[in-house]
Each structure stands twice: as C-alpha cells, then as structure tokens.
C-alpha cells in the first residue's frame, strides 16, 4: 500500500508526519536524508502477519 504523508516537524530522534489529518511519529531512518518540514513524501507500507512489533525486544 502506498501513502502520501507530509512532514510536519523533525525532532532529534523522530519526524512527525501527517496522514489523513492525524499525526504520527516516524523514525528518522525511514525518511530521505535531506527531509524538512513541509515536504510531501510517498511511502510504501505493508503488514507482516508473522511478526509484530509487540514481539520484538
């Protein structure tokens, strides 16, 4: 699935992005190196039913 998000702000360890009028924190490693607030990014997301973040330690 592909989504379009807007970079709202970039903090020290994460970026705040807006998607469907909601904001989400994203790790900086996901964004292109020179991203800045106001950028519009197209990202691809997926779901892996075999392993969830709840099981990662």
């Amino acid at each position: 699935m592909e989504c379009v998000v807007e970079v709202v702000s970039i903090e020290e360890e994460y970026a705040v992005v807006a998607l469907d009028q909601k904001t989400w924190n994203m790790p900086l490693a996901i964004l292109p190196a020179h991203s800045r607030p106001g950028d519009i990014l197209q990202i691809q997301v997926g779901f892996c039913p075999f392993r969830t973040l709840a099981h990662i330690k």
Side-chain angles (χ1 to χ4, degrees):
M1 177 174 136
E2 292 185 1
C3 301
V4 176
V5 299
E6 179 181 358
V7 178
V8 176
S9 67
I10 296 180
E11 308 300 329
E12 191 171 314
E13 296 183 18
Y14 61 89
V16 178
V17 298
L19 172 66
D20 293 333
Q21 300 179 348
K22 295 182 182 179
T23 58
W24 307 89
N25 294 342
M26 282 189 143
L28 290 177
I30 293 175
L31 302 181
H34 301 297
S35 296
R36 59 181 188 247
D39 285 354
I40 304 295
L41 304 172
Q42 183 175 1
I43 60 173
Q44 187 172 20
V45 295
F47 172 72
C48 178
F50 305 108
R51 186 170 182 190
T52 65
L53 291 175
H55 295 111
I56 298 174
K57 293 184 180 187

